[in-house]
Amino acid sequence: MPPLAERCITIAAARMHNRWASASRNFRGLAAKSACRGRGRGATLAPMKSPPVSAISVKGLTKRFGALDVLRGIDFAAADGEVIAIIGSSGSGKSTLLRCINLLEIPDAGEVIIGGETIGMTRLRDGSQRPADRAQVDRMRQSLGMVFQSFNLWSHLTVLENVTEAPVHVQKRPKAEVTQEARALLAKVGIAEKADQYPAQISGGQQQRAAIARALAMRPRVMLFDEPTSALDPELVGEVLRVIRALAEEGRTMLLVTHEMGFAREVANRVIFLHHGVIEEDGPPDQVFGHPKSERCRQFLSSQLRA
């Protein structure tokens, strides 16, 4: 290229750069004035706030048992402090959803995200998937307190030992500290005097309250309740529901699978209705129970009232 042409290009580029720099300074000045307008002198731009991280969320979750599609693309998120009741007829996928969240069942597709961290999965040649990092799964499960239908207490350990076992041996916390906290949790659920008894020596309702204390002892971010009263005699249901209600009032994040419709309406601040593995209804209790949009949800609630 001739020297004169090179100089012309250089001069043009310099002029363009100067114009860009001037425009950039003017834009920043206008932005600052706009941000500070009405705030007085010396105001500074407020930092951008990141959106809050959900306590737990699932995206596109699917699960199949043989030819049966149990979960078909489930999407929802629970904020910290939110109590979500999950309702639906038997076989709708409620328990499977909870078991997929803590990976007691491995979902066929989709994501489980706890506190902003996605549980990594590896796709296998046959199309199924498995956790990519077992250590991550073990760590993430400590953020989830699971309470099952059938208590699942260790029969050879006392109630107190059932509560202290995982914090001491999994979380490696000092035994004296864990024991003190465990006794406080047993008092909280109303069975402090049963600490040294074995599961076979206490009632079903007391066993379930011990199971709740055991889950709380891990200091979980989210509590998962899988029909916690379904295995109890009717006269024992109330004592377990009172404990769950107290936890909700504390602001704990909870996913509660239940057939207790009145309790769900009273305690939850959000209700999800599952039908054939799909979320048919999702909203505040007054909307879902009082004015459901889904015809299937209306039919389900009508059948529950007749029962």
Side-chain angles (χ1 to χ4, degrees):
M1 181 180 291
L4 179 59
E6 290 181 356
R7 287 197 296 272
C8 288
I9 292 173
T10 301
I11 292 170
R15 287 175 176 171
M16 184 177 294
H17 173 78
N18 290 338
R19 286 197 294 270
W20 177 87
S22 177
S24 179
R25 286 193 297 271
N26 290 338
F27 175 80
R28 288 196 298 269
L30 288 172
K33 289 179 181 178
S34 176
C36 294
R37 187 176 294 125
R39 300 182 185 178
R41 292 185 177 181
T44 58
L45 289 172
M48 293 286 290
K49 290 185 177 180
S50 300
V53 175
S54 296
I56 190 168
S57 63
V58 297
K59 298 180 180 180
L61 205 66
T62 66
K63 180 63 182 177
R64 180 182 299 107
F65 293 109
L68 179 62
D69 290 318
V70 180
L71 299 177
R72 299 187 290 160
I74 299 294
D75 293 279
F76 77 93
D80 280 318
E82 194 168 23
V83 179
I84 300 180
I86 303 172
I87 64 173
S89 58
S90 296
S92 60
K94 305 183 301 297
S95 294
T96 300
L97 174 58
L98 293 192
R99 292 176 67 84
C100 283
I101 287 174
N102 70 1
L103 294 187
L104 291 175
E105 298 286 352
I106 305 300
D108 294 311
E111 294 181 340
V112 177
I113 306 164
I114 301 172
E117 181 178 352
T118 302
I119 298 178
M121 305 295 287
T122 297
R123 183 68 60 182
L124 304 180
R125 289 183 179 180
D126 63 0
S128 63
Q129 62 179 13
R130 68 180 181 188
D133 183 355
R134 179 55 61 179
Q136 184 201 31
V137 173
D138 293 341
R139 175 172 53 81
M140 299 292 275
R141 277 180 176 158
Q142 296 180 41
S143 300
L144 304 171
M146 184 82 174
V147 179
F148 301 89
Q149 300 178 27
S150 55
F151 324 141
N152 288 356
L153 297 176
W154 289 297
S155 61
H156 65 290
L157 300 179
T158 66
V159 169
L160 180 63
E161 289 168 341
N162 266 276
V163 178
T164 61
E165 181 77 5
V168 170
H169 295 287
V170 177
Q171 295 180 328
K172 307 300 183 185
R173 289 161 51 194
K175 186 172 182 178
E177 169 196 305
V178 171
T179 300
Q180 181 179 9
E181 184 174 320
R183 290 190 180 279
L185 288 171
L186 291 175
K188 182 175 188 171
V189 299
I191 55 171
E193 74 284 359
K194 306 296 183 181
D196 297 321
Q197 295 188 14
Y198 290 88
Q201 298 174 313
I202 61 178
S203 71
Q206 291 167 341
Q207 289 186 57
Q208 191 62 294
R209 284 185 280 163
I212 294 173
R214 179 178 64 179
L216 291 172
M218 295 294 283
R219 301 174 178 174
R221 180 167 185 167
V222 181
M223 289 288 289
L224 309 177
F225 291 92
D226 185 12
E227 299 192 28
T229 61
S230 65
L232 298 178
D233 293 332
E235 65 269 19
L236 302 178
V237 169
E239 63 189 49
V240 174
L241 295 184
R242 281 192 292 273
V243 171
I244 298 174
R245 181 184 290 108
L247 295 178
E249 291 170 353
E250 290 178 1
R252 290 186 180 271
T253 309
M254 299 194 294
L255 303 184
L256 172 65
V257 170
T258 183
H259 285 295
E260 302 284 343
M261 295 299 106
F263 182 72
R265 184 168 190 169
E266 176 188 348
V267 172
N269 42 42
R270 182 175 160 201
V271 178
I272 288 176
F273 169 68
L274 276 184
H275 180 74
H276 290 175
V278 175
I279 294 178
E280 285 272 347
E281 193 90 25
D282 183 354
D286 287 346
Q287 173 196 309
V288 173
F289 288 104
H291 308 283
K293 300 174 183 177
S294 162
E295 178 60 30
R296 294 186 181 92
C297 186
R298 283 194 289 271
Q299 292 173 357
F300 169 77
L301 293 174
S302 177
S303 68
Q304 292 296 300
L305 291 175
R306 291 197 302 269

